[in-house]
Amino acid sequence: MIMKERKTPVIILILEMLLNRLHPLDPRRHEIEEELAKFLSGHKGEQALDFYLNVLPQKEFFIFHNLRLLQNTSYFQLDILILTQYYFLIIEVKNFSGILYFDQNFYQLIRTINGKEETFPDPISQVKRQQFCFKEWLKDHHFTNIPVESLVVVSNSQTQIKVPAGRTDIYKMVTHKIHLTERIRYYDRKHKDEQISKKDLRKLSKILLKNHTTPTPNVLQKYKISNEDIIKGVACPSCGVIPMIRSHKKWVCTSCKFDSKTAHVQALRDYFLLISRTITNSQCRDFLKLKSRNTARNLLMDLNLSTSGQLRHTKYHLKFDDIFD
């Protein structure tokens, strides 16, 4: 049973928005495009596991995608979490091609592709940290003595996996996606005693969903991009040209002549994720390239956003769930 569906990660949405609103010749575009490609690859790798997860008995397996939880003062994120009445399983997904060597002497992953070597953080150490954090989180929420397993799944079936000589223990920690259901059957055989009731499993699921937080990284700060570097205006949903012109209660594209009554909603999403979670009437007019204070007010009011302040000092609070349903 899918308890938390996989959605496009916010960081992907943010980077795509940023590229749409950054000048085509901006020297930072290349770095941002590489970062976006990395996250898209990871997202695609997780999607590749869906076939194998979907064959699991729905009433017995509670599946969560991309959970982000707070433990003490730090957040930790789980690509996939599977809950059963007998054990819990954390899956870290890696979408790499080429040859992967899991170096456990220096705790690093070495990828060889096209004759070139690249070094990455060790996924085994990563998933073990997640395992530790999740066990501590469970203790804090009064769920104890439940076995927590962890597994690294390589989603590209053509990728070759290599391990140091004699380190057969690594085979228990890493597998290809095509062997995922086989590994889960192994955990089923290993953990035969019920550790948690179905009622408490549902209770835990609700607590997990309640405690999940969506990250909103500040990419402008990371790439040293100022608000003035961002192209302002409403983007045409048809051809992508910025800005559209407001005319007779509609947005009209100056290029393809497409018109829309709601194109500004995407622009406000861009503003929320790139610049600020609050917006004033003045800031709205500036970003949407509007002249009319009343028009800006009506567009913001139509979104049923919460507000603070009064009159010209009114701030509209763009909460994530308000405009991302």
Side-chain angles (χ1 to χ4, degrees):
M1 181 185 307
I2 304 296
M3 304 302 294
K4 182 179 180 298
E5 294 182 353
R6 180 188 300 107
K7 296 182 178 180
T8 303
V10 173
I11 184 61
I12 290 178
L13 299 177
I14 292 176
L15 293 175
E16 288 177 339
M17 291 174 180
L18 179 56
L19 288 171
N20 287 340
R21 292 187 175 274
L22 208 56
H23 193 280
L25 298 180
D26 191 293
R28 294 160 292 196
R29 288 189 67 93
H30 180 68
E31 183 182 0
I32 297 169
E33 288 167 346
E34 286 188 338
E35 187 83 351
L36 175 60
K38 181 184 73 173
F39 283 110
L40 286 171
S41 174
H43 184 52
K44 182 180 179 182
E46 293 176 30
Q47 290 177 317
L49 268 63
D50 286 349
F51 172 81
Y52 304 94
L53 295 174
N54 289 339
V55 301
L56 299 175
Q58 290 196 8
K59 293 183 179 180
E60 299 176 22
F61 293 82
F62 289 14
I63 302 173
F64 299 77
H65 292 282
N66 299 318
L67 266 179
R68 183 173 181 262
L69 303 170
L70 179 64
Q71 173 57 29
N72 293 328
T73 58
S74 300
Y75 287 96
F76 65 99
Q77 185 158 328
L78 310 177
D79 285 348
I80 300 172
L81 172 66
I82 299 177
L83 304 183
T84 76
Q85 291 182 257
Y86 306 91
Y87 65 93
F88 299 159
L89 172 62
I90 296 170
I91 299 177
E92 175 68 19
V93 185
K94 294 299 179 187
N95 186 22
F96 286 109
S97 55
I99 301 172
L100 301 183
Y101 178 72
F102 287 81
D103 179 5
Q104 295 302 286
N105 291 320
F106 295 98
Y107 299 103
Q108 59 188 353
L109 176 68
I110 302 173
R111 192 265 290 269
T112 303
I113 186 168
N114 299 325
K116 180 182 177 182
E117 285 191 354
E118 298 176 90
T119 302
F120 299 89
D122 176 34
I124 295 176
S125 299
Q126 184 178 356
V127 78
K128 284 183 176 179
R129 285 195 299 271
Q130 295 167 356
Q131 184 182 31
F132 173 81
C133 290
F134 187 54
K135 285 181 177 180
E136 293 301 304
W137 186 93
L138 288 171
K139 288 180 185 178
D140 290 347
H141 291 80
H142 312 293
F143 292 92
T144 57
N145 302 320
I146 304 171
V148 179
E149 300 282 359
S150 58
L151 182 66
V152 176
V153 176
V154 179
S155 61
N156 188 333
S157 300
Q158 304 302 315
T159 300
Q160 184 178 353
I161 299 174
K162 289 188 174 182
V163 301
R167 292 299 304 269
T168 57
D169 57 308
I170 298 179
Y171 292 113
K172 296 180 180 180
M173 291 292 303
V174 183
T175 190
H176 280 114
K177 67 177 181 181
I178 59 174
H179 300 302
L180 177 57
T181 50
E182 180 183 330
R183 287 299 180 94
I184 290 176
R185 286 196 293 269
Y186 164 76
Y187 297 129
D188 289 343
R189 294 191 298 268
K190 179 180 177 182
H191 302 288
K192 295 183 178 180
D193 296 328
E194 182 177 309
Q195 302 293 332
I196 184 172
S197 68
K198 185 63 70 71
K199 178 181 178 180
D200 285 340
L201 201 60
R202 292 186 180 279
K203 178 183 176 183
L204 173 57
S205 297
K206 290 180 180 179
I207 295 173
L208 284 167
L209 293 174
K210 182 179 179 181
N211 282 268
H212 166 73
T213 59
T214 302
T216 51
N218 190 335
V219 295
L220 298 191
Q221 185 179 65
K222 178 178 180 179
Y223 296 107
K224 296 181 173 57
I225 297 172
S226 71
N227 293 354
E228 299 306 314
D229 293 325
I230 300 298
I231 298 173
K232 299 174 184 178
V234 174
C236 175
S238 179
C239 70
V241 164
I242 303 175
M244 298 181 83
I245 304 300
R246 185 74 178 175
S247 177
H248 302 293
K249 297 185 178 182
K250 293 189 298 184
W251 298 97
V252 180
C253 179
T254 57
S255 177
C256 71
K257 308 306 177 183
F258 179 84
D259 65 74
S260 168
K261 291 184 177 181
T262 59
H264 61 281
V265 177
Q266 180 61 53
L268 290 173
R269 287 172 175 166
D270 294 358
Y271 185 93
F272 163 63
L273 287 178
L274 293 175
I275 297 175
S276 174
R277 296 191 182 187
T278 65
I279 191 169
T280 64
N281 187 295
S282 174
Q283 291 167 336
C284 179
R285 283 181 281 131
D286 177 60
F287 193 74
L288 301 185
K289 290 190 172 293
L290 285 170
K291 294 181 179 180
S292 170
R293 172 177 288 275
N294 288 336
T295 299
R297 178 181 179 279
N298 291 337
L299 292 178
L300 291 169
M301 292 291 290
D302 285 344
L303 291 175
N304 295 317
L305 305 174
S306 59
T307 62
S308 61
Q310 295 181 345
L311 301 176
R312 292 180 178 273
H313 301 291
T314 299
K315 287 185 177 181
Y316 298 83
H317 297 259
L318 306 176
K319 295 182 180 178
F320 190 85
D321 292 335
D322 285 335
I323 51 178
F324 284 86
D325 48 24

